[in-house]
Amino acid sequence: MIPRSASPGSFDALPNPRGGSVRPAELALAEAQLALEQRTNPAASLLRAVHALREAGWLGAQRLADALLLVSPLTAAEPPDESDARGLFAAALNDLRAAIGRHNLRELSCSPSLFAHYHALNALISRHTPGYTVTFEDLALASRPLPPVSFSPQPAQRLAHLRARYERALLPVLRAHSSDGTASAAVAALTRAALDELDACLAELAGPDPYDFWRLASACANSLRVSGHLVGDTDARRFHARCNLALADHARGLPLASRSLVRSTLALLWRDYALFGAAAEDAEPVALLRDYGLTVDWHVAGTQESEALWEEGAAQEPGFGAGLRDARTRELGVLTVNAHAYEDFLQTGDAAIVALGEHARDTSHPDKADPGEALQAGDAAYRLGAAACALGLGHVALLADALGLAWRRRAYAGIATPGGGVPDVGALEQGAEALRAMLHTIAAGVAPPPAGPALAALTRAVEQG
């Protein structure tokens, strides 16, 4: 991964030059911005944007548009406690419009800038709805299934020793996080040494189960350091503190990590890879992400300068920005797509569906799945999901990723996760048939509906435990 910081206030993710455009949403958001400037109610325009984004399956953008819709009545309010609503609303609306124009669905889900707006808007909503909170993973992992994640069995004495080491190393890291940024070189060196010790503890805790929490946590800690999220980063501080609490849960004999902890850790690991892509040296964390149903793009550029040149060239592509209006396009409901990208997607989809069918025929019983066949089936689903994500077909991408995750769970059936089971073959068949139906609909030039029952069946199959 190119080490760049995904800090709020900047959009560093690459644009998607051949991605689809949700023009009704773009128009509605422009009308909402005009209404705000003219001090009229933007709610009607925002509601149209929400409906269009929901139909396209752009769930991250839809959630932010939902928050804008809920806050919109406050933009006309004058009480002192609402004086900041208009400014927050305007900034969020402006950045959402800009992000939607980049056609990058992973950015819309994982952008720290967009989440900062989402969090600020929901903080306004919470003033009127006590107890209402949102987290980054609510945006990044919206509607995605999550398998049970275990704590690998550890001898009590070894676990107590590692826990003591972790707590000793954690203290200087938390102190450095809370400093004013003027720490001496000696303090910085001490903090780096403490982070090394934390990483070592997490690596020693990791077990062989693909769905072992400490394996996930170790990868997340390494990713945070590689991407520059170190001293002063709130997410890194919270992550390390929550791992200490997870150690206490492990010591008490709990077999599974809490769902909220797993979701937050997974979202942090995925964030920068989703935004910036992965390089050859990132093969291990990318494989781990695929174990959880998440994919990334591979980038060959090795420096920020070469990435910038790529982005500059992408802006000139016929399928990007203003050029999309001049290119040959197809309409799929609210989604306008580049015709060449559409045809490429259909070819990818056909090949993936054929591969899924072949692997499914070789699976006659849930307890007798061949791991190699199951992994290949999962990879076929992931290829379809990545292609759908690139084109802007959010509903297809979500279902394909869920199916890929279910196949991964079958591949690892021989490695026991406490409470975990093998996804039912019926759910896999239902998911594949739903994808096939979606592709036929798209080939006919019609927008595919949400996955609905098929996604629900896969979610139950993945999360059973």
Side-chain angles (χ1 to χ4, degrees):
M1 182 189 354
I2 296 171
R4 292 185 289 183
S5 176
S7 58
S10 65
F11 288 94
D12 289 335
L14 293 173
N16 181 16
R18 300 181 80 195
S21 172
V22 186
R23 288 177 174 171
E26 292 178 0
L27 179 60
L29 292 175
E31 292 173 354
Q33 197 163 41
L34 180 61
L36 184 67
E37 293 169 359
Q38 295 177 344
R39 294 191 174 273
T40 57
N41 191 346
S45 298
L46 288 170
L47 187 59
R48 291 199 300 276
V50 167
H51 287 163
L53 293 169
R54 181 186 296 118
E55 183 178 339
W58 291 26
L59 301 185
Q62 180 208 320
R63 287 205 170 198
L64 184 50
D66 274 326
L68 285 167
L69 179 60
L70 291 173
V71 170
S72 60
L74 304 180
T75 60
E78 297 298 336
D81 64 332
E82 309 297 358
S83 59
D84 57 347
R86 186 177 178 84
L88 291 173
F89 182 95
L93 178 58
N94 181 69
D95 282 356
L96 177 60
R97 286 190 64 196
I100 284 178
R102 294 167 71 85
H103 313 155
N104 187 327
L105 294 192
R106 293 193 181 102
E107 178 186 9
L108 289 169
S109 293
C110 295
S111 165
S113 301
L114 293 183
F115 175 70
H117 291 308
Y118 186 61
H119 188 271
L121 292 171
N122 281 284
L124 289 176
I125 297 168
S126 68
R127 296 179 185 177
H128 306 273
T129 311
Y132 183 79
T133 60
V134 294
T135 62
F136 175 70
E137 56 269 21
D138 292 334
L139 201 64
L141 304 180
S143 299
R144 291 183 176 273
L146 185 73
V149 177
S150 67
F151 291 124
S152 294
Q154 303 273 354
Q157 186 175 359
R158 181 174 186 272
L159 185 58
H161 174 68
L162 286 170
R163 185 182 177 193
R165 282 175 54 192
Y166 191 93
E167 289 182 336
R168 283 196 302 271
L170 179 62
L171 186 57
V173 171
L174 295 182
R175 284 175 175 169
H177 277 303
S178 60
S179 70
D180 59 3
T182 60
S184 66
V187 172
L190 179 63
T191 304
R192 285 194 295 271
L195 286 168
D196 289 339
E197 179 69 356
L198 291 177
D199 287 356
C201 289
L202 293 174
E204 290 180 42
L205 283 162
D209 190 334
Y211 298 104
D212 168 59
F213 172 73
W214 299 119
R215 176 174 178 258
L216 174 63
S218 181
C220 182
N222 183 67
S223 176
L224 288 172
R225 296 191 69 180
V226 169
S227 57
H229 298 281
L230 297 172
V231 177
D233 186 86
T234 301
D235 292 328
R237 178 183 62 198
R238 185 181 298 115
F239 164 74
H240 285 299
R242 293 191 72 180
C243 282
N244 191 43
L245 297 176
L247 268 168
D249 289 340
H250 194 170
R252 287 199 298 270
L254 295 184
L256 298 176
S258 73
R259 182 178 176 84
S260 63
L261 174 60
V262 174
R263 280 171 55 83
S264 65
T265 304
L266 184 61
L268 281 181
L269 174 61
W270 191 39
R271 179 178 61 186
D272 285 358
Y273 291 109
L275 292 173
F276 309 136
E281 62 269 20
D282 300 317
E284 188 173 340
V286 168
L288 189 149
L289 286 168
R290 289 165 78 87
D291 288 343
Y292 287 88
L294 301 172
T295 60
V296 303
D297 286 329
W298 293 95
H299 291 155
V300 296
T303 65
Q304 293 190 39
E305 290 75 15
S306 55
E307 290 278 4
L309 289 173
W310 185 95
E311 184 169 345
E312 183 178 333
Q316 309 303 319
E317 286 279 336
F320 183 69
L324 184 61
R325 293 189 292 270
D326 303 323
R328 189 165 62 92
T329 61
R330 294 291 298 265
E331 304 293 328
L332 299 173
V334 297
L335 190 68
T336 301
V337 298
N338 178 288
H340 295 297
Y342 166 81
E343 291 161 3
D344 290 344
F345 167 77
L346 290 179
Q347 292 182 7
T348 300
D350 286 343
I353 289 297
V354 169
L356 283 168
E358 290 176 352
H359 295 306
R361 282 192 295 272
D362 294 331
T363 303
S364 59
H365 192 278
D367 296 327
K368 298 181 180 178
D370 175 60
E373 290 286 341
L375 284 174
Q376 291 179 54
D379 289 344
Y382 285 146
R383 286 195 297 273
L384 176 54
C389 180
L391 193 63
L393 294 164
H395 292 304
V396 178
L398 184 62
L399 180 61
D401 285 349
L403 181 58
L405 171 55
W407 275 110
R408 284 262 167 162
R409 293 275 286 150
R410 286 183 64 86
Y412 298 137
I415 304 175
T417 295
V422 182
D424 179 67
V425 68
L428 296 174
E429 293 173 347
Q430 185 178 357
E433 284 304 312
L435 280 174
R436 189 191 306 275
M438 283 178 155
L439 289 178
H440 287 165
T441 300
I442 293 166
V446 179
L455 179 60
L458 283 173
T459 298
R460 288 192 299 270
V462 166
E463 296 184 349
Q464 63 184 332

